[in-house]
């Protein structure tokens, strides 16, 4: 969610209620804790949780009356720690401290309730100290838009009404903000009024209206609904300036306008499944392509290649409102083979007959194993969960709760579409396919059990599945009427796990749960254990309940863990409430309540690093990479000065591919350095825009010319042959953005563009005459 701290902006509107003096250097001040949600369906809302946005947030800030009215500031937290208040960008009028977290325990520990003191150094008003207190965790209820489905097909020329469930115990002293953002520009296109204005919303309002013609035809916008509870108001510490402390919950959701005749939309390829470069793909998988807009079902053009041999034996089916093309080979896919695909963009059309744009090719590698012809679905489950963290003798609640509804498939796309319905309240949501595994599911996280039970009430849960070979299935699992979480798992040898010798077996000991079993039986408790590598947080080991042969310990053999590393383990106790082996032949279903304790394991020794060997063939340089650790990915970066490193590719040294990288740009550099480092969590390698070319004046190469772009401040100098290589600090945009290339030689200044040069233009010629 791009606007997870939109509340920051909103609080400023309250300054109108305080009668802020126009001469004050500060307009408003706030300290807030909040929770950020996403509504992806008609009534199911859950906390966001991505590599870019965390679900929980703290912010302390002061907004200046002008760009230079706030010189500096600090924030003293309740524990006495002081942190600076900083500007997010050079022309920011305000200064702030922000913190995001995935755990309520972490947020409440590091940014606890209590008194916060903002020390502000102003241009004209001197130094001001403003105290604000967060107390009682008085969060509002989760915002839920009740006419979500209507908002997916609105007509932009008509007035649109947004309706939501009432804020629980909402009063006129609380306030609500509804905003609409343009996903392309991040600009606010509509917003309800500030408190004290005629169109302001309070905690008692349940709808807002968007005027006709505010939105454009055929577009997708991001709506945000913000509920706020104010717990502390300070108008005296800084005379004439309103300062508040409070709690908020905010939910984002999509608003889509239908296209009017004659409007050019166009569609693009959003994703493919299996993913590009996926390995060990089951041979009875189907392949799917998802598009951004509904497509014409009469137009499709795909070239399939298997290890260099063209194949044509595929059947095609449009699903999900004609946004997904499902491709099924009429035989099983060949074993241990590269399967390549290329989309002919002009051979596709969207529903309005406009051609396709975006990525056009990809590949994956099949398994060497024969398909076993199982049912489309092998396992389905519903788990309600609560989390713990153990750093000492006993685990402590993280304050986080969740529900995980899961369907495991025999191969990719064996389930074409799936939904989950919470029977007791009628809430319903779509199951989403996993990017890298034959799996689809729904994960929802909350920072309170009350919120979890509001959306995922106990009782029956029904999976509605449309399968590739097995047809439609409706499968129901029951959690019973009351919560039945097992006791928190407690690791009893945690100190010993912080200095593990990886050359020896490692045993984890824990408290034995009641009614333990290593078979899936209703009324019994099973145990599972997961291991993630840090900092990447990729799951590298999964110990299934059937492999746990002792109620209070598990031993990992030599070679499981690697030297000099930190791992995060999750010990899981699951009280099984329901088991279903009859409704779907060959598939097993289970429902239960789960308690999870996370803890770390650290190994001794020196990290085993990968090696890089280089070979040259003419102008091309090949890097051959080996060693390192399996199931860990690395980032390959290049540099010309050992100072500025440019990420080039993500390398999986245990992948099915040959671990090679071809540097066709090496010919342009006198020296080029390479390094491999651990990939950080959620890090996505996207090459920056880089330009190579030669500058001439009357066909003579120009040395010493300065080359720059309108993208950023990076420059390059041409060599004695007039050649340059300019690596910008600007990420690639799929070749779609226009920019200007500027060349300065002596007193001659010449602009080339703005044109669509592409993201990686090479062998360009720039004439200065």
């Amino acid at each position: 969610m791009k606007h997870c701290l939109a509340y920051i902006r909103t609080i400023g509107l309250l300054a109108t209620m305080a009668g802020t003096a126009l001469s004050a250097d500060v307009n408003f001040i706030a300290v807030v804790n909040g929770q950020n949600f996403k509504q992806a369906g008609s009534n199911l809302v859950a906390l966001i949780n991505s590599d870019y946005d965390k679900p929980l947030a703290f912010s302390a800030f002061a907004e200046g009356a002008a760009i230079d009215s706030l010189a500096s500031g600090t924030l003293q937290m309740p524990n006495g720690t002081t942190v600076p208040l900083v500007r997010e960008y050079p022309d920011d009028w305000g200064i702030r401290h922000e913190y995001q977290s995935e755990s309520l325990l972490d947020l409440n520990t590091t940014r606890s309730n209590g008194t916060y003191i903002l020390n502000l150094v102003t241009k004209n008003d001197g130094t001001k100290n403003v105290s604000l207190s967060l107390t009682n965790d008085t969060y509002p209820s989760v915002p839920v838009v009740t006419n979500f489905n209507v908002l997916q097909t609105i007509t932009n020329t008509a007035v649109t009404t947004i309706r939501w469930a009432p804020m629980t115990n909402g009063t006129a002293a609380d306030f609500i903000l509804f905003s609409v953002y343009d996903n392309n520009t991040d600009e606010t296109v509509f917003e309800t009024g500030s408190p004290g204005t005629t169109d302001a919303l309070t905690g008692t309002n349940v709808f807002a209206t968007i005027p006709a013609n505010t939105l454009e035809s055929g577009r997708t916008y991001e709506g945000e609904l913000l509920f706020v509870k104010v717990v502390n108001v300070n108008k005296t510490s800084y005379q004439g300036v309103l300062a508040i402390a409070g709690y908020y919950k905010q939910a984002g959701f999509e608003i889509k306008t239908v296209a009017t005749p004659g409007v050019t939309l166009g569609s693009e390829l959003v994703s493919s499944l299996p993913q590009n470069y996926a390995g060990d793909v089951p041979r009875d998988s189907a392949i799917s392509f998802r598009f951004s807009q509904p497509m014409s079902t009469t137009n499709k053009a795909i070239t399939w290649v298997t290890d260099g041999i063209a194949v044509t034996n595929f059947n095609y089916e449009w699903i999900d409102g004609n946004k997904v093309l499902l491709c099924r080979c009429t035989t099983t896919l060949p074993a241990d083979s590269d399967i390549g695909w290329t989309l002919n963009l002009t051979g596709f059309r969207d529903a309005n007959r406009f051609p396709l744009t975006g990525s056009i090719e990809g590949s994956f590698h099949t398994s060497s194993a024969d398909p076993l012809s199982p049912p489309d679905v092998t396992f389905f489950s519903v788990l309600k969960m609560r989390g713990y963290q153990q750093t000492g003798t006993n685990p402590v609640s993280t304050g986080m709760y969740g529900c995980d509804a899961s369907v495991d498939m025999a191969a990719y796309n064996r389930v074409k579409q799936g939904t989950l319905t919470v029977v007791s309240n009628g809430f319903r949501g779509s199951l989403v396919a996993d990017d890298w595994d034959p799996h689809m599911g729904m994960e929802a996280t909350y920072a309170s059990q009350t919120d979890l039970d509001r959306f995922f009430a106990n009782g029956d849960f029904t999976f509605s599945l449309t399968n590739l070979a097995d047809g439609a299935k409706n499968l129901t699992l029951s959690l019973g009427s009351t919560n039945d979480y097992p006791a928190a798992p407690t690791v009893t040898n945690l100190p010993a796990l912080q200095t593990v010798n990886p050359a020896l077996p490692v045993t984890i000991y824990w408290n034995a749960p009641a009614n333990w079993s290593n078979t899936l039986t209703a009324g019994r408790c099973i145990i599972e254990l997961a291991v993630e590598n840090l900092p990447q947080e990729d799951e590298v080991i999964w110990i299934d309940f059937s492999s746990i042969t002792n109620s209070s310990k598990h031993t990992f053999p030599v070679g499981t863990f690697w030297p000099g590393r930190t791992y995060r383990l999750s010990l899981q106790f699951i009280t099984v409430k329901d088991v279903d082996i009859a409704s779907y032949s060959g598939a097993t279903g289970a429902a239960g309540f789960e308690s999870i304790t996370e803890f770390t394991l650290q190994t001794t020794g020196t990290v085993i690093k990968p090696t890089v060997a280089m070979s040259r063939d003419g102008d091309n340089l090949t890097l051959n990479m080996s060693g390192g650790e399996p199931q860990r990915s690395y980032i390959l970066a290049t540099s010309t000065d050992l100072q500025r490193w440019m990420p080039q590719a993500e390398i999986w040294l245990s992948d099915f591919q040959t671990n090679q990288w071809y540097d066709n740009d090496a010919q342009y550099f006198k020296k080029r350095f390479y390094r491999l480092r651990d990939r950080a969590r959620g890090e996505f390698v996207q090459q920056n825009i880089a330009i190579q070319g030669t500058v001439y004046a009357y066909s003579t190469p120009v040395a010493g010319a300065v080359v720059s772009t309108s993208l950023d401040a990076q420059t390059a100098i041409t060599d004695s042959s007039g050649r340059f290589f300019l690596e910008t600090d600007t990420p690639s945009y799929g070749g779609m953005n226009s920019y200007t290339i500027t060349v300065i030689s002596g007193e001659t200044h010449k602009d080339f563009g703005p044109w669509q040069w592409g993201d990686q233009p090479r062998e360009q010629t720039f004439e200065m005459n």
Side-chain angles (χ1 to χ4, degrees):
M1 185 182 300
K2 288 184 286 189
H3 308 282
C4 63
L5 294 178
Y7 179 49
I8 295 173
R9 186 186 66 258
T10 309
I11 295 299
L13 304 177
L14 286 175
T16 59
M17 299 178 64
T20 301
L22 294 178
S23 60
D25 282 334
V26 175
N27 280 341
F28 62 94
I29 300 165
V31 173
V32 293
N33 260 335
Q35 301 177 11
N36 304 298
F37 295 80
K38 183 73 174 181
Q39 182 170 347
S42 61
N43 42 31
L44 279 177
V45 184
L47 285 171
I48 62 169
N49 195 4
S50 72
D51 294 325
Y52 309 102
D53 289 315
K54 301 296 187 294
L56 311 178
F58 168 89
S59 182
F61 62 93
E63 191 69 20
I67 193 171
D68 61 347
S69 63
L70 265 173
S72 63
T74 59
L75 173 71
Q76 181 179 308
M77 293 185 284
N79 63 4
T81 301
T82 299
V83 295
L85 299 172
V86 299
R87 299 184 193 279
E88 288 189 327
Y89 43 88
D91 57 348
D92 191 349
W93 288 24
I95 55 177
R96 66 200 74 234
H97 168 76
E98 295 176 1
Y99 181 80
Q100 295 188 29
S101 179
E102 297 177 347
S103 162
L104 191 61
L105 172 64
D106 173 68
L107 185 70
N108 289 344
T109 300
T110 61
R111 304 297 183 273
S112 64
N113 285 343
T115 300
Y116 290 81
I117 302 174
L118 292 89
N119 178 273
L120 306 174
V121 180
T122 70
K123 180 179 180 180
N124 302 301
D125 301 338
T127 300
K128 299 291 184 179
N129 290 297
V130 180
S131 297
L132 289 167
S133 295
L134 288 173
T135 56
N136 298 327
D137 293 325
T138 313
Y139 288 93
S141 55
V142 179
V144 180
V145 174
T146 56
N147 64 335
F148 176 90
N149 291 338
V150 172
L151 299 179
Q152 306 313 297
T153 54
I154 68 172
T155 302
N156 69 304
T157 56
V159 174
T160 299
T161 300
I162 291 82
R163 303 184 185 279
W164 54 83
M167 180 193 295
T168 303
N169 299 320
T171 70
D174 304 318
F175 67 92
I176 294 173
L177 179 76
F178 168 67
S179 308
V180 182
Y181 300 93
D182 186 320
N183 279 328
N184 294 330
T185 65
D186 208 25
E187 298 289 332
T188 304
V189 297
F190 176 79
E191 192 166 70
T192 53
S194 60
T197 61
T198 56
D199 59 346
L201 303 177
T202 72
T204 62
N205 288 105
V206 292
F207 71 92
T209 56
I210 303 174
N213 299 309
T214 301
L215 309 180
E216 296 180 5
S217 170
R219 295 284 304 279
T220 297
Y221 293 87
E222 182 178 355
E224 287 186 350
L225 185 59
L226 180 74
F227 288 179
V228 182
K229 288 276 188 182
V230 176
V231 297
N232 184 212
V233 176
N234 183 343
K235 299 180 182 180
T236 59
S237 295
Y238 194 152
Q239 192 64 39
V241 177
L242 174 68
I244 72 164
Y247 301 87
Y248 73 87
K249 288 184 180 179
Q250 175 181 260
F253 55 96
E254 288 187 340
I255 299 174
K256 300 177 182 178
T257 59
V258 296
T260 56
V263 173
T264 301
L265 286 181
S267 186
E268 65 178 351
L269 177 64
V270 175
S271 62
S272 62
L273 191 67
Q275 283 268 34
N276 196 17
Y277 302 124
D280 202 30
V281 173
R283 295 173 57 200
D284 52 347
S285 294
I287 300 96
S288 64
F289 299 98
R290 177 169 292 277
F291 302 93
S292 61
Q293 301 287 342
M295 301 292 289
S296 166
T297 60
T298 59
N299 296 86
K300 59 182 179 295
I302 305 176
T303 301
W304 299 93
V305 177
T306 301
D307 284 341
I309 301 173
V311 293
T312 58
N313 51 332
F314 277 86
N315 293 327
Y316 301 93
E317 179 184 2
W318 288 97
I319 61 175
D320 197 13
N322 297 335
K323 285 188 176 182
V324 175
L325 179 60
L326 196 64
C327 314
R328 184 180 183 185
C329 190
T330 55
T331 61
T332 56
L333 297 170
D336 194 25
S337 299
D338 287 322
I339 309 294
W341 51 264
T342 301
L343 302 189
N344 178 355
L345 300 186
T346 59
F348 277 84
R349 291 288 189 274
D350 69 10
N352 289 334
R353 312 299 296 174
F354 293 106
L356 185 67
T357 60
S359 300
I360 62 170
E361 62 184 6
S363 65
F364 57 87
H365 195 86
T366 59
S367 169
S368 59
D370 292 330
L372 299 177
S373 299
D376 290 327
V377 172
T378 58
F379 189 76
F380 58 100
S381 63
V382 174
L383 290 175
K384 290 179 71 171
M385 302 168 287
R386 62 180 182 182
Y388 295 86
Q389 177 181 308
Q390 186 174 350
T391 58
T393 303
N394 297 307
V396 178
S397 172
T398 63
M400 304 304 290
Y401 296 79
C403 184
D404 185 359
S406 177
V407 174
D408 291 336
M409 296 174 281
Y412 287 99
N413 295 304
R414 299 302 300 190
V415 178
K416 296 188 287 186
Q417 289 179 282
T419 60
L420 177 76
T421 301
V422 184
V423 176
S424 62
N425 57 21
F427 287 4
R428 181 176 178 174
S430 298
L431 302 176
V432 179
D434 188 274
D435 287 341
W436 293 102
D437 292 301
H439 169 94
M440 63 174 11
M442 176 193 301
E443 294 183 3
T445 305
Y446 303 91
S448 77
Q449 185 170 304
T450 299
D451 285 347
L452 170 64
D453 291 341
R454 174 186 175 185
F455 294 100
F456 290 89
N458 291 334
D460 291 348
F461 293 76
T462 298
F463 292 89
S464 298
L465 307 177
T466 304
N467 302 311
L468 197 63
D470 299 335
K473 297 287 185 181
N474 289 303
L475 311 167
T476 299
L477 295 169
S478 178
L479 282 176
S481 59
T482 59
N483 290 324
D484 190 13
Y485 294 96
T490 302
V491 178
T492 57
N493 67 329
L494 187 62
L497 300 179
Q498 307 314 301
T499 54
V500 167
N501 183 345
L504 298 175
V506 181
T507 300
I508 314 291
Y509 294 93
W510 59 77
N511 62 313
N515 299 318
W516 169 74
S517 174
N518 68 345
T519 61
L520 202 58
T521 305
R524 304 297 296 274
C525 183
I526 60 174
I527 302 173
E528 295 185 326
L529 191 58
V531 181
E532 295 178 338
N533 60 8
L534 296 179
Q536 294 175 11
E537 300 188 8
D538 293 330
E539 185 177 281
V540 295
I541 302 170
W542 173 261
I543 307 299
D544 184 74
F545 64 89
S546 61
S547 299
I548 301 288
T549 57
N550 189 293
S551 65
S552 59
K553 67 178 182 179
H554 178 78
T555 299
F556 291 98
V558 172
T560 300
F561 301 102
W562 290 74
R565 293 294 192 181
T566 299
Y567 297 86
R568 181 166 62 200
L569 282 71
S570 300
L571 180 59
Q572 305 162 20
F573 290 177
I574 305 170
T575 299
V576 180
K577 301 295 291 185
D578 189 15
V579 176
D580 182 0
I581 59 174
S583 299
Y584 193 156
S585 178
T588 299
F593 292 89
E594 181 175 19
S595 295
I596 307 171
T597 296
E598 293 184 342
F599 58 99
T600 60
L601 180 152
Q602 300 182 64
T603 58
T604 59
T606 302
V607 172
I608 297 176
K609 298 180 180 180
T611 60
V612 180
M614 293 182 287
S615 60
R616 181 179 288 277
D617 180 13
D619 289 335
N620 298 324
L621 187 71
T622 301
L623 275 66
N624 297 280
M625 292 157 282
S626 60
E629 300 177 20
Q631 297 180 296
R632 185 178 292 274
S633 59
Y634 299 86
I635 299 299
L636 174 66
T638 60
S639 176
T640 59
D641 58 6
L642 296 177
Q643 301 297 318
R644 182 173 179 247
W645 288 92
M646 307 296 291
Q648 301 291 346
E650 180 178 347
I651 305 297
W652 287 82
L653 295 183
S654 59
D655 211 350
F656 66 89
Q657 304 172 93
T658 301
N659 298 310
Q660 292 182 327
W661 187 72
Y662 304 97
D663 189 357
N664 297 324
D665 291 331
Q667 58 182 305
Y668 304 122
F669 298 93
K670 290 184 178 180
K671 55 184 178 181
R672 180 97 142 158
F673 302 97
Y674 306 88
R675 74 177 182 187
L676 285 172
R677 61 169 175 79
D678 285 352
R679 177 182 63 83
R681 177 200 173 184
E683 184 176 4
F684 174 72
V685 177
Q686 184 177 23
Q687 284 185 299
N688 289 349
I689 294 174
I691 304 114
Q692 188 279 323
T694 305
V695 177
Y696 293 95
Y698 300 99
S699 301
T700 301
V702 177
V706 179
V707 184
S708 62
T709 72
S710 58
L711 297 168
D712 51 50
Q714 287 295 331
T715 62
I717 308 296
T718 58
D719 62 16
S720 58
S721 300
R723 298 203 309 175
F724 71 90
F725 195 99
L726 172 58
E727 291 180 289
T728 73
D729 287 329
T730 304
S732 300
Y733 287 96
M736 299 305 294
N737 65 321
S738 298
Y739 54 93
T740 299
I741 297 175
T742 299
V743 182
I744 300 175
S745 176
E747 296 182 358
T748 304
H749 177 126
K750 193 168 183 179
D751 291 331
F752 300 84
W755 299 324
Q756 282 190 337
W757 293 91
D759 292 336
Q760 304 293 319
R762 299 292 187 268
E763 301 297 339
Q764 302 297 308
T765 299
F766 301 89
E767 287 285 354
M768 297 298 288
N769 51 297

